[in-house]
Amino acid sequence: EFSPEEAQFNDLIAEDSRIEPRDWMPDAYRKTLIRQISQHAHSEIIGMQPESNWISRAPSLKRKAILIAKVQDEAGHGLYLYSAAQTLGISREEMTDQLLEGKAKYSSIFNYTTPTWADMGSIGWLVDGAAIANQVPLCRASYGPYGRAMVRICKEESFHQRQGFEILLELMQGTEEQRRMAQESVNRWYWPALMMFGPPDDESPNSTQSMAWKIKRFSNDELRQRFVGMLVPQAEVLGVTLPDPNLKWNEEKQAYDMSEIDWDEFHEVIAGRGPANAERMRRRREAHENGAWVREAAAAYARKQAA
Ligand code: 3HC
């Protein structure tokens, strides 16, 4: 038998309403939201590093300005999402400590390196494209602050995806060397982008409960399929080849057949053994230490105001 609060919570979920910070919620609902939202925020903050690598080396002032705007957006998404997580009763310091102590995850995708300029195109087109496929349904997540944060973030992600597509289009309409650089970059980013959607549905421990609570609206594999379906026509316009020889439309399934994803690589990267995990964490820790004086000054100022 449910308590009156739990019955009310279940009704709100059943009628597709929103759960707000002051509403009663099961501890496990709160816990899984803190887990997902804080890790989403960590991903945005770490995600600034691969792209910042090219801000000082962008090929033109226009590209430099666009890249700076994009990286600033990611920082804003992180702060937005940390604030949404804080409404659930966890502090910014606790979440930061969990990241710096390696207790919290962030998206595997940001543990890959960006050796060429074309990677700025692939990240926009593939990584932000995957982010949009994953985040549009999250606009309808049952937890109010999370769903509402997603609306603003999705609008900005669309700009990120378009500027990435345009970088690749310009390269593919360039010299032979530029075309080769774009294709080589797409080859490197395609499979890691598919891993962003999470493990296969039958190996996704959080999905069932997340879908019952209408946090997750579609399964990992469903969104991965949807994303590939969006990529195929765009790849044709770009003139790039998606690096999967088995990618073929399956009329009966009304979806694409594709090669098996290398889940060993996925687990290795998540376990901290990806190409750039150590570098990403080193820089995040360094930034946190360099920022200590700002936090102390702000706290001292706040104490003075309160006195
Ligand atoms: N990288 C790292 N960890 C991953 C992962 C990935 N690509 N995919 C799954 N995991 C983790 C999960 O967090 C979970 O571990 P945990 O229980 O310790 O948190 C475990 O693997 C099993 O996965 P599940 O499918 O059971 O977990 P979820 O139900 O949480 O689904 C998810 C995973 C689809 C990523 C979901 O958490 C989600 O939608 N998160 C919000 C979106 C997000 O975080 N996107 C990350 C990309 S960052 C980004 O989009 C920024 C943009 O600017 C590019």
Side-chain angles (χ1 to χ4, degrees):
E1 199 32 36
F2 294 118
S3 68
E5 301 94 340
E6 183 137 23
Q8 217 235 340
F9 171 84
N10 293 339
D11 290 348
L12 284 169
I13 297 289
E15 66 200 30
D16 247 345
S17 290
R18 287 268 152 105
I19 305 297
E20 297 300 336
R22 272 191 277 278
D23 291 341
W24 182 90
M25 62 185 83
D27 289 344
Y29 179 81
R30 184 184 303 277
K31 191 163 171 282
T32 203
L33 280 168
I34 288 176
R35 171 191 66 85
Q36 174 160 336
I37 302 172
S38 64
Q39 291 182 157
H40 196 162
H42 296 329
S43 304
E44 301 280 6
I45 298 300
I46 299 290
M48 292 192 282
Q49 290 189 34
E51 293 173 313
S52 62
N53 183 28
W54 282 92
I55 287 178
S56 61
R57 296 186 284 155
S60 71
L61 185 59
K62 170 190 161 193
R63 289 292 176 208
K64 183 192 189 91
I66 292 174
L67 191 54
I68 289 175
K70 179 178 190 303
V71 171
Q72 274 176 322
D73 281 352
E74 312 291 5
H77 297 171
L79 300 188
Y80 239 51
L81 289 163
Y82 282 131
S83 302
Q86 282 170 240
T87 66
L88 290 156
I90 187 169
S91 74
R92 186 73 59 92
E93 292 71 23
E94 268 173 281
M95 288 187 274
T96 304
D97 290 348
Q98 286 170 356
L99 174 65
L100 298 182
E101 287 157 17
K103 288 198 199 107
K105 293 182 170 72
Y106 58 90
S107 188
S108 50
I109 193 71
F110 297 124
N111 290 309
Y112 291 83
T113 56
T114 49
T116 76
W117 167 252
D119 292 332
M120 295 306 103
S122 298
I123 285 180
W125 182 48
L126 294 170
V127 175
D128 294 296
I132 292 170
N134 163 278
Q135 290 170 175
V136 165
L138 285 173
C139 293
R140 293 188 299 117
S142 55
Y143 187 58
Y146 193 30
R148 289 190 290 271
M150 279 299 117
V151 174
R152 160 80 177 277
I153 288 175
C154 284
K155 287 190 172 64
E156 293 177 342
E157 288 299 345
S158 302
F159 142 64
H160 300 173
Q161 195 268 356
R162 296 309 304 157
Q163 64 83 39
F165 181 88
E166 197 215 1
I167 287 176
L168 291 177
L169 189 63
E170 194 171 333
L171 290 171
M172 288 306 285
Q173 291 169 344
T175 64
E176 202 30 53
E177 183 52 31
Q178 286 174 315
R179 292 167 57 81
R180 220 189 339 271
M181 182 169 72
Q183 181 62 60
E184 185 277 330
S185 174
V186 169
N187 293 344
R188 262 186 299 112
W189 287 93
Y190 177 74
W191 293 106
L194 296 192
M195 294 174 197
M196 286 172 70
F197 292 93
D201 293 348
D202 54 6
E203 291 166 38
S204 166
N206 296 296
S207 279
T208 308
Q209 186 58 72
S210 246
M211 291 180 87
W213 277 331
K214 297 184 182 174
I215 297 167
K216 185 179 273 190
R217 291 286 181 164
F218 300 96
S219 79
N220 297 358
D221 287 330
E222 270 175 296
L223 289 182
R224 199 178 349 258
Q225 270 294 345
R226 183 182 299 180
F227 177 56
V228 170
M230 281 158 45
L231 281 186
V232 169
Q234 291 179 17
E236 275 155 30
V237 170
L238 285 171
V240 295
T241 311
L242 295 176
D244 179 0
N246 298 320
L247 190 63
K248 198 163 63 301
W249 178 249
N250 181 321
E251 193 55 32
E252 190 199 327
K253 246 174 59 182
Q254 283 295 302
Y256 279 90
D257 289 332
M258 57 178 97
S259 304
E260 188 50 28
I261 292 177
D262 180 353
W263 294 111
D264 292 341
E265 176 178 331
F266 174 75
H267 292 297
E268 276 298 289
V269 174
I270 291 192
R273 293 186 290 276
N277 297 57
E279 166 65 6
R280 301 290 182 240
M281 290 309 290
R282 185 190 63 73
R283 279 185 59 186
R284 184 68 197 85
R285 289 192 182 99
E286 193 179 271
H288 189 65
E289 278 143 32
N290 292 348
W293 70 272
V294 176
R295 293 191 295 277
E296 282 152 29
Y301 181 76
R303 275 194 298 280
K304 256 201 193 135
Q305 301 309 306

